[in-house]
Amino acid sequence: MLKQFDALILGSGTAGQSLALRLAERKQRVALVTKRSLADSASAWAQGGIAAVLDSTDSIEAHIQDTFTAGAGLCDPVATRFVVEHGKAAIDWLIARGVPFTREDASTVGYHLTREGGHSHRRIIHAADATGAAVQATLTDQVLAHPNITIFENHIAVDLVLGDKVGHPGKGCLGAYVLDLNSGRVVTFSAPSTVLATGGAGKVYLYTTNPDVATGDGIAMAWRAGCRVANMEFIQFHPTCLYHPQAKSFLISEAVRGEGGVLRLPDGTRFMPEHDERAELAPRDVVARAIDFEMKKRGLDCVYLDISHKPADWLRGHFPNIHARCLELGIDITREPIPVVPAAHYTCGGIVTDLSARTDVPNLYAVGESACTGLHGANRLASNSLLECLVFGEAAAQDILAKPRTPHPALPAWDESRVTDADEEVVISHNWAELRRAMWDYVGIVRTNKRLRRARHRIRLLEREIHEFYSNFRVSNDLIELRNLVVTADLIVRCALRRKESRGLHHSRDYPDLLPKARDTILRP
């Protein structure tokens, strides 16, 4: 089965949906492909907000400098300025769309701005403590209503269609093969422009704040297609994931610390001032390492985030979702501290792109967490992620719209003639569990050469098993995700082994010092 569109977008988070709307409004026929429903994305889970210069006491230069500081010298100056300077326009676009950002109070037209770790000013515009969900809900309603957007839920991309491999040399990316999870059939999507908006790779780790769909699909597909991948060693571990056996991947927003939350040991002792003069407002990597240090030193299962000194009504107003979720689990944040642990949260590296979101493969774009734009450097500044999605979604739209329309070339159908149904699905679940455990144990917050080599050895064994399975059996959702996860895990380890220093999110016991010059880790297929 062949489906033809002007643009194919893989992924339905803020980057994918905002891009789809921008293209559709200019008469582009857009296919929006998502593994589950439109609501399943990391964007929808974002609590804190969106960073942008919106207050007269703030400045573009201050936001840039804060981003540079968090990025530990590795942020690209041109890309960083590009994103920050387009920040207000991105927020204005969302406001015009009807996103219900929190007001300063009921009697004012101004918006409440909060402050998060690493920021020198209050510049985080938010919708209570569920900004991502508010943005996603607003965009989703408009995507669903737009006649030029066709949505394909329960569809997962298997691989990109490359001109060099299907009889059209030099044509770059021509679309993708996509598995329809409802029918079990692989559909061929043809499009002059294909966009990877597939998110990050948090599920490569045993503990993560990411949704189940974050399996590094776009990064793995782009790598197989011949794109450069950069800085994959910089995996951001969010310091404060709720620690509770019934709380799967529930994030306690950065804004809780920004509004005065204090990290404590079980006996109530505050410990962050001993690790950094910025205490709880230090960047995420500093806070995550401090928590990791205290937990390992004292044999703790968790530490505690305490904001109970704030008025109860204020807490319920500013953090209604966190308050409600914790209360469901028997934790009253107005009276007691919240048990927290670090968890894999954000992939700072990814597919190398330019300022128009173009990759190394013609007609292939990457936006959002799957891309490495140069903005985040060695550590993403809080709330710069949704901003990046919006700014580069607009940049990709402008580039796609500027291209002359071309006819669709003939593409071959997916070939299943030499495969059979899988005989032992347990192989997939076993390899999935082994991979995630190895990454957590050996490629976590603090690393050593010995741990990284152990991880590499296990990944290579798993790669061979998974490749054999993929070559002989029909594809399934779990097999596609596992195949992509093992590629992504290998890229993370390869980048980590190349970095002979400790910088940002990459902390090595073998190389504790900072090299005098910051360099990107760039891998070429």
Side-chain angles (χ1 to χ4, degrees), residues 398-416:
Q398 293 299 327
D399 196 77
I400 291 169
L401 292 166
K403 295 194 306 185
R405 298 211 175 197
T406 57
H408 291 269
L411 300 181
W414 180 255
D415 184 7
E416 286 190 333

Side-chain angles (χ1 to χ4, degrees), residues 53 57-67 120-121 123:
V53 178
T57 64
D58 197 3
S59 70
I60 296 292
E61 299 305 322
H63 191 176
I64 289 172
Q65 187 56 54
D66 290 344
T67 302
S120 59
H121 292 76
R123 64 167 68 98

Side-chain angles (χ1 to χ4, degrees), residues 147-209:
N148 291 337
I149 301 174
T150 305
I151 300 160
F152 296 89
E153 294 184 319
N154 298 309
H155 283 66
I156 179 172
V158 182
D159 247 331
L160 300 170
V161 180
L162 302 175
D164 291 347
K165 295 185 177 180
V166 295
H168 302 284
K171 295 294 185 181
C173 183
L174 300 175
Y177 292 114
V178 177
L179 174 63
D180 179 349
L181 297 175
N182 299 307
S183 68
R185 298 176 60 186
V186 176
V187 182
T188 305
F189 280 77
S190 173
S193 299
T194 299
V195 185
L196 299 170
T198 50
K203 294 298 287 188
V204 79
Y205 285 96
L206 188 60
Y207 302 111
T208 177
T209 65

Side-chain angles (χ1 to χ4, degrees), residues 196-246:
L196 299 170
T198 50
K203 294 298 287 188
V204 79
Y205 285 96
L206 188 60
Y207 302 111
T208 177
T209 65
N210 289 182
D212 290 340
V213 295
T215 52
D217 301 330
I219 296 169
M221 285 190 290
W223 175 255
R224 290 193 292 264
C227 294
R228 288 172 299 156
V229 169
N231 295 344
M232 289 296 291
E233 69 270 39
F234 299 119
I235 302 295
Q236 187 176 80
F237 287 79
H238 198 288
T240 54
C241 183
L242 179 62
Y243 178 75
H244 192 283
Q246 297 174 22

Side-chain angles (χ1 to χ4, degrees), residues 11-15 17 34 36-46 132-133 136 140 197-199 209-214 369 386:
S12 64
T14 297
Q17 289 201 33
T34 182
R36 294 191 180 176
S37 71
L38 283 181
D40 285 305
S41 72
S43 297
W45 289 28
Q136 281 291 98
T140 295
T198 50
T209 65
N210 289 182
D212 290 340
V213 295
E369 195 174 347
L386 290 179

Side-chain angles (χ1 to χ4, degrees), residues 16-326:
Q17 289 201 33
S18 64
L19 172 58
L21 286 168
R22 292 180 188 277
L23 292 175
E25 288 169 353
R26 296 286 295 275
K27 309 302 182 185
Q28 290 263 320
R29 293 178 58 253
V30 180
L32 188 62
V33 173
T34 182
K35 287 200 288 187
R36 294 191 180 176
S37 71
L38 283 181
D40 285 305
S41 72
S43 297
W45 289 28
Q47 294 177 352
I50 307 172
V53 178
L54 303 170
D55 186 83
S56 60
T57 64
D58 197 3
S59 70
I60 296 292
E61 299 305 322
H63 191 176
I64 289 172
Q65 187 56 54
D66 290 344
T67 302
F68 284 169
T69 301
L74 207 61
C75 301
D76 179 83
V78 176
T80 303
R81 182 170 292 278
F82 176 77
V83 173
V84 173
E85 288 184 343
H86 286 82
K88 186 177 184 303
I91 299 301
D92 289 344
W93 186 81
L94 289 179
I95 291 172
R97 292 270 162 190
V99 175
F101 290 116
T102 299
R103 298 281 183 176
E104 189 64 52
D105 58 59
S107 63
T108 182
V109 296
Y111 292 96
H112 180 265
L113 302 178
T114 190
R115 182 181 174 189
E116 296 179 347
H119 288 273
S120 59
H121 292 76
R122 285 183 172 267
R123 64 167 68 98
I124 316 302
I125 190 170
H126 61 100
D129 61 347
T131 305
V135 171
Q136 281 291 98
T138 303
L139 297 184
T140 295
D141 286 346
Q142 295 171 32
V143 164
L144 287 168
H146 207 293
N148 291 337
I149 301 174
T150 305
I151 300 160
F152 296 89
E153 294 184 319
N154 298 309
H155 283 66
I156 179 172
V158 182
D159 247 331
L160 300 170
V161 180
L162 302 175
D164 291 347
K165 295 185 177 180
V166 295
H168 302 284
K171 295 294 185 181
C173 183
L174 300 175
Y177 292 114
V178 177
L179 174 63
D180 179 349
L181 297 175
N182 299 307
S183 68
R185 298 176 60 186
V186 176
V187 182
T188 305
F189 280 77
S190 173
S193 299
T194 299
V195 185
L196 299 170
T198 50
K203 294 298 287 188
V204 79
Y205 285 96
L206 188 60
Y207 302 111
T208 177
T209 65
N210 289 182
D212 290 340
V213 295
T215 52
D217 301 330
I219 296 169
M221 285 190 290
W223 175 255
R224 290 193 292 264
C227 294
R228 288 172 299 156
V229 169
N231 295 344
M232 289 296 291
E233 69 270 39
F234 299 119
I235 302 295
Q236 187 176 80
F237 287 79
H238 198 288
T240 54
C241 183
L242 179 62
Y243 178 75
H244 192 283
Q246 297 174 22
K248 182 182 179 182
S249 305
F250 187 74
L251 178 70
I252 304 300
S253 169
E254 192 94 12
V256 173
R257 286 184 286 120
E259 294 293 347
V262 173
L263 285 163
R264 302 187 187 278
L265 298 174
D267 65 2
T269 303
R270 187 182 181 190
F271 60 86
M272 274 310 302
E274 297 179 8
H275 292 270
D276 192 281
E277 63 183 10
R278 294 164 291 186
E280 283 78 11
L281 289 178
R284 289 176 176 176
D285 62 318
V286 176
V287 180
R289 278 199 303 275
I291 294 173
D292 184 68
F293 174 86
E294 296 292 344
M295 288 173 58
K296 288 176 178 174
K297 176 183 177 181
R298 304 171 192 277
L300 303 174
D301 292 325
C302 66
V303 296
Y304 294 85
L305 180 58
D306 187 9
I307 196 166
S308 61
H309 52 277
K310 289 281 192 176
D313 288 344
W314 186 93
L315 285 171
R316 284 189 285 265
H318 278 73
F319 303 112
N321 292 285
I322 293 174
H323 176 265
R325 179 60 176 145
C326 286

